[in-house]
Amino acid sequence: MIRNTLTETTLKTSDFNFVLPQELIAQHPSDKRDEARLMVIDRRSGEITHKIFKDVIDYLNPGDVLVINNSKVIPARIYGKKLRDGGEDGANVEFVLLRQMELDTWEALVRPGRRLKPGTQVTFGDGMLMATIKEIVDDGNRIVKFDYDRASGRNLYSILDEIGKMPLPPYITEELRDNSEYQTVYAKEEGSAAAPTAGLHFTDELLGRIRAKGVKVVPVMLHVGLGTFRPVKVDNIADHVMHSEFFSVTEQAADDINEARKNGGRIIAVGTTSCRTLESAADESGTVHAMTDDTGIFIYPGYKFKAVDALITNFHLPESTLLMLVSALAGSDLIKTAYSTAITQRYRFFSFGDAMLIL
């Protein structure tokens, strides 16, 4: 388990609060992904520039590396019925799959938790999928073993595609027009319970233009859990325990990143998940190592970045660990100015909102 090495801070969770008008919370992505707005922040000069997202290519140089998270969101929210004595007892049950433990065994957020004790069985999709509660993790989380007709040729992911719903964050109250809205164009590795949303702004055409400019696009993987939406509930942020997420950096990705750095190229992370992956896999010299592990790294002001030179991200929730991360990179004062400017300029916030490039 990789965690932050910082242990002391005087920063309070309330230092990262701000008031956001409800109407600025985006309910759908831009009709054209790469035509969302882009705020460009120069950390050195403090200058803030307003652009369109596809203009991001103008800030990328030949020899740079753009690091993307290719994790794919699964339709992890499923609705079923609790079983009793071989039949349904009528109780409605909701699962959100959070983390694969082993084949067909997952940690899931379950509701209502008080009624789902070890040994309880639940049926989904008119018997297409069965679940047995194996272990209590905490009040709302359970270890769950799934069973289904393997002879049918289905696996758990194909069943989820049929009966599951995308696990949208609670601030998105409108239905998706299409599941692809909540998926990056380069999503590949199934396992996320939430989208790495900074990547939602890229199109295949824009990525092609970026590659043609001499910028290498390098995938890493971090499966995003719902913990990314959990509020920080402690006053002193150093007391917060970060949720753990599974990540992987291949040998090829590590080689590409390290070669670019050696040749003077910048490492630009697409999203806080790519950033946390790189910082988890980097040693103190900034060399990124191939590895597969869990990370609970918590990045907040005072953290010294080892691998990431620049970051493409969205506008984040008040008092969130994501806002703390971007404040660590750009400086709290500059981020406060940027967010105040974004509200004045009517930028769209959160998962489907506009983007920020921190240079």
Side-chain angles (χ1 to χ4, degrees):
M1 171 69 68
I2 296 168
R3 293 196 180 277
N4 196 0
T5 57
L6 291 177
T7 57
E8 295 184 8
T9 180
T10 57
L11 289 173
K12 302 297 183 182
T13 300
S14 57
D15 294 333
F16 299 90
N17 195 14
F18 63 92
V19 177
L20 181 71
Q22 189 75 16
E23 66 270 19
L24 296 186
I25 301 175
Q27 294 298 310
H28 295 283
S30 299
D31 290 335
K32 294 184 178 179
R33 290 179 180 236
D34 60 359
E35 292 187 1
R37 297 171 73 185
L38 175 69
M39 177 183 287
V40 182
I41 298 177
D42 188 317
R43 289 184 281 163
R44 293 158 189 82
S45 68
E47 182 181 5
I48 294 174
T49 308
H50 304 287
K51 297 287 185 177
I52 301 300
F53 188 81
K54 60 187 175 183
D55 297 331
V56 72
I57 192 171
D58 298 334
Y59 297 90
L60 305 178
N61 303 323
D64 287 344
V65 168
L66 192 70
V67 180
I68 59 174
N69 179 9
N70 68 358
S71 181
K72 186 175 184 178
V73 186
I74 59 174
R77 190 182 302 275
I78 51 178
Y79 298 92
K81 297 282 187 181
K82 180 173 169 283
L83 294 183
R84 181 176 60 191
D85 299 329
E88 294 182 9
D89 77 351
N92 293 319
V93 173
E94 176 188 354
F95 281 16
V96 179
L97 278 60
L98 301 178
R99 176 185 179 84
Q100 187 175 26
M101 311 300 292
E102 55 186 68
L103 182 64
D104 295 332
T105 299
W106 285 71
E107 180 179 350
L109 173 66
V110 303
R111 296 189 182 96
R114 67 184 181 280
R115 303 190 64 174
L116 297 174
K117 298 177 173 59
T120 303
Q121 292 189 309
V122 179
T123 179
F124 301 92
D126 295 323
M128 187 184 303
L129 184 66
M130 298 288 294
T132 302
I133 306 296
K134 306 301 286 187
E135 180 183 340
I136 296 175
V137 178
D138 57 29
D139 288 345
N141 287 23
R142 301 288 187 273
I143 303 300
V144 180
K145 179 71 165 64
F146 289 101
D147 196 21
Y148 47 89
D149 181 9
R150 290 166 179 79
S152 68
R154 288 190 175 111
N155 61 23
L156 180 59
Y157 290 118
S158 64
I159 294 172
L160 291 175
D161 283 339
E162 194 166 337
I163 68 172
K165 292 183 176 293
M166 285 298 201
L168 294 176
Y171 48 77
I172 294 178
T173 58
E174 297 182 17
E175 291 286 324
L176 291 177
R177 294 170 293 202
D178 186 275
N179 278 356
S180 65
E181 287 187 324
Y182 198 55
Q183 204 80 265
T184 64
V185 297
Y186 46 74
K188 180 180 179 183
E189 303 291 339
E190 291 180 305
S192 274
T197 53
L200 295 177
H201 300 290
F202 285 95
T203 64
D204 288 324
E205 189 272 337
L206 178 57
L207 287 168
R209 290 173 53 218
I210 287 170
R211 290 186 179 99
K213 190 175 181 179
V215 176
K216 187 160 284 191
V217 179
V218 174
V220 297
M221 190 277 293
L222 182 141
H223 286 327
V224 189
L226 290 186
T228 191
F229 302 120
R230 286 178 178 164
V232 177
K233 296 182 178 180
V234 293
D235 291 332
N236 188 323
I237 66 172
D239 295 331
H240 177 68
V241 178
M242 195 73 171
H243 59 285
S244 176
E245 294 167 316
F246 178 75
F247 77 95
S248 180
V249 178
T250 66
E251 291 277 1
Q252 185 63 61
D255 289 347
D256 288 342
I257 292 164
N258 294 330
E259 182 70 16
R261 182 176 294 283
K262 185 177 73 174
N263 294 329
R266 296 173 301 167
I267 311 304
I268 298 133
V270 177
T272 57
T273 59
S274 296
C275 176
R276 294 177 66 240
T277 299
L278 291 171
E279 293 300 312
S280 297
D283 61 26
E284 292 303 317
S285 72
T287 300
V288 173
H289 298 273
M291 64 173 64
T292 297
D293 202 349
D294 293 326
T295 181
I297 190 171
F298 180 18
I299 297 174
Y300 51 83
Y303 179 87
K304 182 180 179 184
F305 286 82
K306 300 172 291 188
V308 172
D309 299 307
L311 176 67
I312 296 169
T313 189
N314 283 19
F315 291 89
H316 303 296
L317 276 72
E319 299 187 348
S320 65
T321 61
L322 307 182
L323 180 56
M324 294 169 190
L325 185 152
V326 298
S327 297
L329 182 63
S332 294
D333 289 343
L334 183 53
I335 288 297
K336 286 177 181 177
T337 298
Y339 272 56
S340 176
T341 301
I343 292 169
T344 301
Q345 296 291 323
R346 310 295 288 176
Y347 274 69
R348 300 162 74 243
F349 276 65
F350 306 164
S351 294
F352 285 143
D354 296 315
M356 173 187 290
L357 170 60
I358 302 173
L359 294 170

